[in-house]
mmCIF file of all heavy atoms in Angstrom:
data_model
loop_
_atom_site.group_PDB
_atom_site.id
_atom_site.type_symbol
_atom_site.label_atom_id
_atom_site.label_comp_id
_atom_site.label_asym_id
_atom_site.label_seq_id
_atom_site.Cartn_x
_atom_site.Cartn_y
_atom_site.Cartn_z
ATOM 1 N N LYS I 1 17.310 16.707 -2.270
ATOM 2 C CA LYS I 1 17.452 17.882 -1.428
ATOM 3 C C LYS I 1 18.926 17.992 -1.063
ATOM 4 O O LYS I 1 19.582 16.998 -0.705
ATOM 5 C CB LYS I 1 16.577 17.724 -0.195
ATOM 6 C CG LYS I 1 15.144 17.709 -0.565
ATOM 7 C CD LYS I 1 14.278 17.706 0.663
ATOM 8 C CE LYS I 1 12.841 17.772 0.161
ATOM 9 N NZ LYS I 1 11.902 17.754 1.190
ATOM 10 N N SER I 2 19.407 19.196 -1.066
ATOM 11 C CA SER I 2 20.847 19.355 -0.852
ATOM 12 C C SER I 2 21.176 19.779 0.586
ATOM 13 O O SER I 2 22.333 19.914 0.915
ATOM 14 C CB SER I 2 21.332 20.409 -1.836
ATOM 15 O OG SER I 2 20.732 21.659 -1.589
ATOM 16 N N TYR I 3 20.148 20.000 1.436
ATOM 17 C CA TYR I 3 20.535 20.384 2.791
ATOM 18 C C TYR I 3 20.919 19.120 3.578
ATOM 19 O O TYR I 3 20.194 18.223 3.643
ATOM 20 C CB TYR I 3 19.433 21.045 3.601
ATOM 21 C CG TYR I 3 18.197 21.509 2.945
ATOM 22 C CD1 TYR I 3 17.284 20.568 2.448
ATOM 23 C CD2 TYR I 3 17.910 22.846 2.821
ATOM 24 C CE1 TYR I 3 16.129 21.047 1.889
ATOM 25 C CE2 TYR I 3 16.766 23.255 2.253
ATOM 26 C CZ TYR I 3 15.847 22.326 1.839
ATOM 27 O OH TYR I 3 14.730 22.801 1.295
ATOM 28 N N MET I 4 22.056 19.259 4.202
ATOM 29 C CA MET I 4 22.535 18.176 5.073
ATOM 30 C C MET I 4 22.572 18.767 6.501
ATOM 31 O O MET I 4 23.568 19.391 6.876
ATOM 32 C CB MET I 4 23.870 17.675 4.608
ATOM 33 C CG MET I 4 23.853 17.028 3.245
ATOM 34 S SD MET I 4 22.759 15.641 3.163
ATOM 35 C CE MET I 4 23.823 14.381 3.741
ATOM 36 N N ASP I 5 21.551 18.510 7.237
ATOM 37 C CA ASP I 5 21.494 18.996 8.613
ATOM 38 C C ASP I 5 21.766 17.861 9.584
ATOM 39 O O ASP I 5 21.344 16.729 9.308
ATOM 40 C CB ASP I 5 20.079 19.563 8.863
ATOM 41 C CG ASP I 5 20.002 20.405 10.108
ATOM 42 O OD1 ASP I 5 21.035 20.699 10.712
ATOM 43 O OD2 ASP I 5 18.839 20.743 10.475
ATOM 44 N N ARG I 6 22.483 18.084 10.623
ATOM 45 C CA ARG I 6 22.852 17.028 11.550
ATOM 46 C C ARG I 6 21.634 16.385 12.129
ATOM 47 O O ARG I 6 21.546 15.142 12.257
ATOM 48 C CB ARG I 6 23.774 17.572 12.641
ATOM 49 C CG ARG I 6 24.220 16.549 13.633
ATOM 50 C CD ARG I 6 25.111 17.155 14.754
ATOM 51 N NE ARG I 6 25.442 16.136 15.717
ATOM 52 C CZ ARG I 6 24.721 15.872 16.781
ATOM 53 N NH1 ARG I 6 23.610 16.509 17.061
ATOM 54 N NH2 ARG I 6 25.126 14.965 17.663
ATOM 55 N N GLU I 7 20.655 17.172 12.567
ATOM 56 C CA GLU I 7 19.470 16.646 13.181
ATOM 57 C C GLU I 7 18.631 15.810 12.198
ATOM 58 O O GLU I 7 18.004 14.816 12.562
ATOM 59 C CB GLU I 7 18.618 17.754 13.792
ATOM 60 C CG GLU I 7 19.139 18.284 15.077
ATOM 61 C CD GLU I 7 20.237 19.296 14.889
ATOM 62 O OE1 GLU I 7 20.328 19.872 13.797
ATOM 63 O OE2 GLU I 7 21.061 19.486 15.802
ATOM 64 N N LYS I 8 18.565 16.268 10.958
ATOM 65 C CA LYS I 8 17.768 15.586 9.938
ATOM 66 C C LYS I 8 18.437 14.289 9.475
ATOM 67 O O LYS I 8 17.751 13.392 9.081
ATOM 68 C CB LYS I 8 17.474 16.517 8.764
ATOM 69 C CG LYS I 8 16.498 17.568 9.067
ATOM 70 C CD LYS I 8 16.159 18.344 7.852
ATOM 71 C CE LYS I 8 15.133 19.420 8.175
ATOM 72 N NZ LYS I 8 14.733 20.156 6.990
ATOM 73 N N CYS I 9 19.732 14.258 9.552
ATOM 74 C CA CYS I 9 20.475 13.084 9.067
ATOM 75 C C CYS I 9 20.563 11.990 10.094
ATOM 76 O O CYS I 9 20.837 10.823 9.781
ATOM 77 C CB CYS I 9 21.860 13.449 8.587
ATOM 78 S SG CYS I 9 21.859 14.419 7.081
ATOM 79 N N SER I 10 20.388 12.347 11.381
ATOM 80 C CA SER I 10 20.524 11.334 12.406
ATOM 81 C C SER I 10 19.167 10.708 12.737
ATOM 82 O O SER I 10 18.107 11.358 12.664
ATOM 83 C CB SER I 10 21.090 11.957 13.697
ATOM 84 O OG SER I 10 20.154 12.811 14.281
ATOM 85 N N PRO I 11 19.110 9.400 12.951
ATOM 86 C CA PRO I 11 17.878 8.742 13.292
ATOM 87 C C PRO I 11 17.351 9.125 14.690
ATOM 88 O O PRO I 11 18.163 9.450 15.575
ATOM 89 C CB PRO I 11 18.181 7.256 13.241
ATOM 90 C CG PRO I 11 19.617 7.185 13.504
ATOM 91 C CD PRO I 11 20.230 8.444 12.947
ATOM 92 N N PHE I 12 16.076 9.121 14.894
ATOM 93 C CA PHE I 12 15.453 9.450 16.166
ATOM 94 C C PHE I 12 14.934 8.148 16.764
ATOM 95 O O PHE I 12 13.994 7.561 16.242
ATOM 96 C CB PHE I 12 14.348 10.472 15.943
ATOM 97 C CG PHE I 12 13.756 10.929 17.256
ATOM 98 C CD1 PHE I 12 14.442 11.767 18.107
ATOM 99 C CD2 PHE I 12 12.496 10.513 17.640
ATOM 100 C CE1 PHE I 12 13.877 12.208 19.295
ATOM 101 C CE2 PHE I 12 11.934 10.910 18.826
ATOM 102 C CZ PHE I 12 12.612 11.767 19.620
ATOM 103 N N GLU I 13 15.572 7.685 17.823
ATOM 104 C CA GLU I 13 15.185 6.413 18.424
ATOM 105 C C GLU I 13 14.774 6.639 19.864
ATOM 106 O O GLU I 13 15.574 6.976 20.684
ATOM 107 C CB GLU I 13 16.362 5.460 18.415
ATOM 108 C CG GLU I 13 16.868 5.167 17.003
ATOM 109 C CD GLU I 13 16.072 4.079 16.306
ATOM 110 O OE1 GLU I 13 15.434 3.298 17.015
ATOM 111 O OE2 GLU I 13 16.148 4.065 15.072
ATOM 112 N N CYS I 14 13.554 6.467 20.186
ATOM 113 C CA CYS I 14 12.996 6.475 21.503
ATOM 114 C C CYS I 14 13.379 7.742 22.327
ATOM 115 O O CYS I 14 13.534 7.670 23.547
ATOM 116 C CB CYS I 14 13.501 5.240 22.336
ATOM 117 S SG CYS I 14 12.897 3.725 21.587
ATOM 118 N N GLY I 15 13.565 8.785 21.682
ATOM 119 C CA GLY I 15 13.803 10.100 22.375
ATOM 120 C C GLY I 15 15.240 10.321 22.888
ATOM 121 O O GLY I 15 15.456 11.217 23.632
ATOM 122 N N PHE I 16 16.208 9.517 22.489
ATOM 123 C CA PHE I 16 17.560 9.808 22.866
ATOM 124 C C PHE I 16 18.488 9.732 21.667
ATOM 125 O O PHE I 16 18.171 9.167 20.668
ATOM 126 C CB PHE I 16 18.064 8.887 24.004
ATOM 127 C CG PHE I 16 18.095 7.422 23.591
ATOM 128 C CD1 PHE I 16 19.266 6.884 23.066
ATOM 129 C CD2 PHE I 16 16.987 6.600 23.812
ATOM 130 C CE1 PHE I 16 19.293 5.548 22.713
ATOM 131 C CE2 PHE I 16 17.014 5.295 23.475
ATOM 132 C CZ PHE I 16 18.160 4.763 22.907
ATOM 133 N N ASP I 17 19.658 10.414 21.812
ATOM 134 C CA ASP I 17 20.592 10.461 20.721
ATOM 135 C C ASP I 17 21.197 9.057 20.455
ATOM 136 O O ASP I 17 21.850 8.498 21.401
ATOM 137 C CB ASP I 17 21.628 11.428 21.046
ATOM 138 C CG ASP I 17 22.604 11.706 19.851
ATOM 139 O OD1 ASP I 17 22.241 11.389 18.744
ATOM 140 O OD2 ASP I 17 23.709 12.230 20.092
ATOM 141 N N PRO I 18 21.134 8.481 19.243
ATOM 142 C CA PRO I 18 21.684 7.141 19.002
ATOM 143 C C PRO I 18 23.221 7.126 18.954
ATOM 144 O O PRO I 18 23.789 6.071 18.992
ATOM 145 C CB PRO I 18 21.087 6.751 17.665
ATOM 146 C CG PRO I 18 20.774 8.030 17.057
ATOM 147 C CD PRO I 18 20.423 9.003 18.087
ATOM 148 N N LYS I 19 23.877 8.302 18.865
ATOM 149 C CA LYS I 19 25.301 8.333 18.795
ATOM 150 C C LYS I 19 25.962 8.365 20.164
ATOM 151 O O LYS I 19 27.150 8.349 20.285
ATOM 152 C CB LYS I 19 25.704 9.528 17.967
ATOM 153 C CG LYS I 19 25.272 9.393 16.506
ATOM 154 C CD LYS I 19 25.755 10.543 15.670
ATOM 155 C CE LYS I 19 25.405 10.277 14.267
ATOM 156 N NZ LYS I 19 24.417 11.088 13.697
ATOM 157 N N SER I 20 25.140 8.461 21.209
ATOM 158 C CA SER I 20 25.743 8.467 22.563
ATOM 159 C C SER I 20 25.888 7.004 23.031
ATOM 160 O O SER I 20 25.654 6.069 22.317
ATOM 161 C CB SER I 20 24.796 9.266 23.459
ATOM 162 O OG SER I 20 23.589 8.638 23.594
ATOM 163 N N PHE I 21 26.198 6.897 24.321
ATOM 164 C CA PHE I 21 26.406 5.573 24.898
ATOM 165 C C PHE I 21 25.115 4.702 24.799
ATOM 166 O O PHE I 21 24.038 5.210 25.140
ATOM 167 C CB PHE I 21 26.855 5.707 26.326
ATOM 168 C CG PHE I 21 27.232 4.434 26.997
ATOM 169 C CD1 PHE I 21 28.312 3.718 26.520
ATOM 170 C CD2 PHE I 21 26.544 3.994 28.075
ATOM 171 C CE1 PHE I 21 28.639 2.532 27.131
ATOM 172 C CE2 PHE I 21 26.884 2.807 28.671
ATOM 173 C CZ PHE I 21 27.992 2.061 28.221
ATOM 174 N N ALA I 22 25.233 3.482 24.333
ATOM 175 C CA ALA I 22 24.072 2.688 24.016
ATOM 176 C C ALA I 22 23.392 2.134 25.298
ATOM 177 O O ALA I 22 22.239 1.694 25.175
ATOM 178 C CB ALA I 22 24.442 1.519 23.095
ATOM 179 N N ARG I 23 24.061 2.054 26.411
ATOM 180 C CA ARG I 23 23.554 1.426 27.572
ATOM 181 C C ARG I 23 22.939 2.370 28.577
ATOM 182 O O ARG I 23 22.679 1.999 29.710
ATOM 183 C CB ARG I 23 24.625 0.577 28.252
ATOM 184 C CG ARG I 23 25.194 -0.463 27.424
ATOM 185 C CD ARG I 23 24.206 -1.599 27.198
ATOM 186 N NE ARG I 23 24.909 -2.624 26.427
ATOM 187 C CZ ARG I 23 24.154 -3.384 25.638
ATOM 188 N NH1 ARG I 23 22.920 -3.301 25.476
ATOM 189 N NH2 ARG I 23 24.809 -4.367 24.959
ATOM 190 N N ILE I 24 22.633 3.590 28.192
ATOM 191 C CA ILE I 24 22.053 4.497 29.164
ATOM 192 C C ILE I 24 20.577 4.145 29.346
ATOM 193 O O ILE I 24 19.886 3.694 28.399
ATOM 194 C CB ILE I 24 22.183 5.964 28.682
ATOM 195 C CG1 ILE I 24 21.490 6.208 27.339
ATOM 196 C CG2 ILE I 24 23.599 6.417 28.666
ATOM 197 C CD1 ILE I 24 21.416 7.664 26.919
ATOM 198 N N PRO I 25 20.060 4.313 30.549
ATOM 199 C CA PRO I 25 18.639 3.952 30.786
ATOM 200 C C PRO I 25 17.771 4.983 30.132
ATOM 201 O O PRO I 25 18.103 6.163 30.063
ATOM 202 C CB PRO I 25 18.512 3.971 32.286
ATOM 203 C CG PRO I 25 19.597 4.848 32.732
ATOM 204 C CD PRO I 25 20.722 4.749 31.763
ATOM 205 N N PHE I 26 16.637 4.523 29.608
ATOM 206 C CA PHE I 26 15.633 5.441 29.048
ATOM 207 C C PHE I 26 14.285 5.104 29.642
ATOM 208 O O PHE I 26 14.080 4.004 30.154
ATOM 209 C CB PHE I 26 15.641 5.436 27.526
ATOM 210 C CG PHE I 26 15.202 4.108 26.933
ATOM 211 C CD1 PHE I 26 13.905 3.886 26.545
ATOM 212 C CD2 PHE I 26 16.129 3.106 26.772
ATOM 213 C CE1 PHE I 26 13.499 2.706 26.019
ATOM 214 C CE2 PHE I 26 15.724 1.874 26.240
ATOM 215 C CZ PHE I 26 14.416 1.678 25.867
ATOM 216 N N SER I 27 13.377 6.013 29.488
ATOM 217 C CA SER I 27 12.093 5.854 30.084
ATOM 218 C C SER I 27 11.250 4.787 29.393
ATOM 219 O O SER I 27 11.232 4.699 28.167
ATOM 220 C CB SER I 27 11.313 7.175 30.013
ATOM 221 O OG SER I 27 9.998 6.995 30.499
ATOM 222 N N LEU I 28 10.624 3.947 30.203
ATOM 223 C CA LEU I 28 9.831 2.875 29.592
ATOM 224 C C LEU I 28 8.474 3.393 29.082
ATOM 225 O O LEU I 28 7.704 2.650 28.449
ATOM 226 C CB LEU I 28 9.537 1.782 30.632
ATOM 227 C CG LEU I 28 10.776 0.904 30.937
ATOM 228 C CD1 LEU I 28 10.386 -0.129 31.976
ATOM 229 C CD2 LEU I 28 11.239 0.208 29.709
ATOM 230 N N HIS I 29 8.203 4.660 29.273
ATOM 231 C CA HIS I 29 6.980 5.229 28.779
ATOM 232 C C HIS I 29 6.839 5.177 27.256
ATOM 233 O O HIS I 29 5.816 4.979 26.752
ATOM 234 C CB HIS I 29 6.776 6.676 29.227
ATOM 235 C CG HIS I 29 6.405 6.793 30.651
ATOM 236 N ND1 HIS I 29 5.217 6.425 31.150
ATOM 237 C CD2 HIS I 29 7.178 7.231 31.749
ATOM 238 C CE1 HIS I 29 5.198 6.646 32.477
ATOM 239 N NE2 HIS I 29 6.358 7.126 32.855
ATOM 240 N N PHE I 30 7.961 5.320 26.593
ATOM 241 C CA PHE I 30 7.986 5.127 25.125
ATOM 242 C C PHE I 30 7.498 3.781 24.740
ATOM 243 O O PHE I 30 6.661 3.632 23.821
ATOM 244 C CB PHE I 30 9.393 5.353 24.533
ATOM 245 C CG PHE I 30 9.845 6.762 24.729
ATOM 246 C CD1 PHE I 30 10.827 7.099 25.622
ATOM 247 C CD2 PHE I 30 9.354 7.786 23.913
ATOM 248 C CE1 PHE I 30 11.272 8.387 25.734
ATOM 249 C CE2 PHE I 30 9.778 9.087 23.972
ATOM 250 C CZ PHE I 30 10.790 9.386 24.937
ATOM 251 N N PHE I 31 7.976 2.743 25.407
ATOM 252 C CA PHE I 31 7.560 1.405 25.116
ATOM 253 C C PHE I 31 6.077 1.188 25.476
ATOM 254 O O PHE I 31 5.308 0.602 24.714
ATOM 255 C CB PHE I 31 8.415 0.416 25.889
ATOM 256 C CG PHE I 31 8.004 -1.017 25.779
ATOM 257 C CD1 PHE I 31 8.226 -1.688 24.609
ATOM 258 C CD2 PHE I 31 7.381 -1.668 26.807
ATOM 259 C CE1 PHE I 31 7.773 -3.023 24.491
ATOM 260 C CE2 PHE I 31 6.980 -2.972 26.694
ATOM 261 C CZ PHE I 31 7.178 -3.649 25.505
ATOM 262 N N LEU I 32 5.658 1.651 26.632
ATOM 263 C CA LEU I 32 4.259 1.478 27.065
ATOM 264 C C LEU I 32 3.255 2.226 26.175
ATOM 265 O O LEU I 32 2.215 1.658 25.825
ATOM 266 C CB LEU I 32 4.086 2.004 28.546
ATOM 267 C CG LEU I 32 4.827 1.148 29.575
ATOM 268 C CD1 LEU I 32 4.658 1.832 30.934
ATOM 269 C CD2 LEU I 32 4.270 -0.252 29.571
ATOM 270 N N ILE I 33 3.612 3.426 25.749
ATOM 271 C CA ILE I 33 2.731 4.158 24.794
ATOM 272 C C ILE I 33 2.655 3.422 23.487
ATOM 273 O O ILE I 33 1.599 3.363 22.874
ATOM 274 C CB ILE I 33 3.252 5.613 24.639
ATOM 275 C CG1 ILE I 33 3.192 6.358 25.920
ATOM 276 C CG2 ILE I 33 2.522 6.313 23.530
ATOM 277 C CD1 ILE I 33 1.763 6.518 26.517
ATOM 278 N N THR I 34 3.747 2.846 23.033
ATOM 279 C CA THR I 34 3.704 2.059 21.807
ATOM 280 C C THR I 34 2.819 0.886 21.936
ATOM 281 O O THR I 34 1.987 0.534 21.058
ATOM 282 C CB THR I 34 5.150 1.587 21.424
ATOM 283 O OG1 THR I 34 5.968 2.776 21.321
ATOM 284 C CG2 THR I 34 5.177 0.865 20.112
ATOM 285 N N VAL I 35 2.927 0.154 23.001
ATOM 286 C CA VAL I 35 2.065 -1.046 23.223
ATOM 287 C C VAL I 35 0.623 -0.648 23.321
ATOM 288 O O VAL I 35 -0.282 -1.267 22.740
ATOM 289 C CB VAL I 35 2.538 -1.816 24.486
ATOM 290 C CG1 VAL I 35 1.533 -2.859 24.871
ATOM 291 C CG2 VAL I 35 3.890 -2.446 24.253
ATOM 292 N N ILE I 36 0.288 0.402 24.001
ATOM 293 C CA ILE I 36 -1.073 0.914 24.151
ATOM 294 C C ILE I 36 -1.605 1.312 22.766
ATOM 295 O O ILE I 36 -2.703 0.977 22.366
ATOM 296 C CB ILE I 36 -1.166 2.061 25.130
ATOM 297 C CG1 ILE I 36 -0.949 1.575 26.547
ATOM 298 C CG2 ILE I 36 -2.512 2.748 25.040
ATOM 299 C CD1 ILE I 36 -0.746 2.630 27.563
ATOM 300 N N PHE I 37 -0.781 2.011 21.965
ATOM 301 C CA PHE I 37 -1.173 2.315 20.636
ATOM 302 C C PHE I 37 -1.472 1.087 19.805
ATOM 303 O O PHE I 37 -2.466 1.080 19.059
ATOM 304 C CB PHE I 37 -0.063 3.178 19.934
ATOM 305 C CG PHE I 37 -0.356 3.451 18.514
ATOM 306 C CD1 PHE I 37 -1.313 4.335 18.111
ATOM 307 C CD2 PHE I 37 0.367 2.740 17.478
ATOM 308 C CE1 PHE I 37 -1.582 4.540 16.751
ATOM 309 C CE2 PHE I 37 0.091 2.944 16.204
ATOM 310 C CZ PHE I 37 -0.839 3.855 15.790
ATOM 311 N N LEU I 38 -0.644 0.098 19.875
ATOM 312 C CA LEU I 38 -0.835 -1.101 19.083
ATOM 313 C C LEU I 38 -2.105 -1.802 19.475
ATOM 314 O O LEU I 38 -2.910 -2.299 18.635
ATOM 315 C CB LEU I 38 0.361 -2.055 19.217
ATOM 316 C CG LEU I 38 1.598 -1.616 18.472
ATOM 317 C CD1 LEU I 38 2.744 -2.572 18.781
ATOM 318 C CD2 LEU I 38 1.334 -1.546 16.974
ATOM 319 N N ILE I 39 -2.386 -1.861 20.783
ATOM 320 C CA ILE I 39 -3.637 -2.503 21.246
ATOM 321 C C ILE I 39 -4.859 -1.807 20.703
ATOM 322 O O ILE I 39 -5.746 -2.445 20.149
ATOM 323 C CB ILE I 39 -3.654 -2.561 22.792
ATOM 324 C CG1 ILE I 39 -2.589 -3.575 23.296
ATOM 325 C CG2 ILE I 39 -5.020 -2.912 23.305
ATOM 326 C CD1 ILE I 39 -2.405 -3.443 24.801
ATOM 327 N N PHE I 40 -4.875 -0.478 20.793
ATOM 328 C CA PHE I 40 -6.041 0.231 20.356
ATOM 329 C C PHE I 40 -6.087 0.416 18.835
ATOM 330 O O PHE I 40 -7.098 0.769 18.273
ATOM 331 C CB PHE I 40 -6.198 1.537 21.108
ATOM 332 C CG PHE I 40 -6.649 1.321 22.513
ATOM 333 C CD1 PHE I 40 -5.726 1.383 23.549
ATOM 334 C CD2 PHE I 40 -7.973 1.012 22.797
ATOM 335 C CE1 PHE I 40 -6.129 1.188 24.848
ATOM 336 C CE2 PHE I 40 -8.331 0.765 24.083
ATOM 337 C CZ PHE I 40 -7.433 0.874 25.125
ATOM 338 N N ASP I 41 -4.915 0.222 18.186
ATOM 339 C CA ASP I 41 -4.925 0.247 16.748
ATOM 340 C C ASP I 41 -5.406 -1.058 16.100
ATOM 341 O O ASP I 41 -6.117 -1.097 15.110
ATOM 342 C CB ASP I 41 -3.504 0.588 16.257
ATOM 343 C CG ASP I 41 -3.472 0.962 14.787
ATOM 344 O OD1 ASP I 41 -4.355 1.707 14.363
ATOM 345 O OD2 ASP I 41 -2.572 0.445 14.105
ATOM 346 N N VAL I 42 -5.037 -2.149 16.750
ATOM 347 C CA VAL I 42 -5.487 -3.445 16.261
ATOM 348 C C VAL I 42 -6.955 -3.600 16.411
ATOM 349 O O VAL I 42 -7.651 -4.266 15.642
ATOM 350 C CB VAL I 42 -4.730 -4.596 16.988
ATOM 351 C CG1 VAL I 42 -5.300 -5.904 16.770
ATOM 352 C CG2 VAL I 42 -3.263 -4.555 16.548
#
């Protein structure tokens, strides 16, 4: 594919931009939802 879009080329990590400051606080809901999903998936 020849389209190079900024949003498509950047990774999506836990709902925040990975190119910004790495030490900004983020919501723990992402982590909790992942753990709940793993429990009910297992």
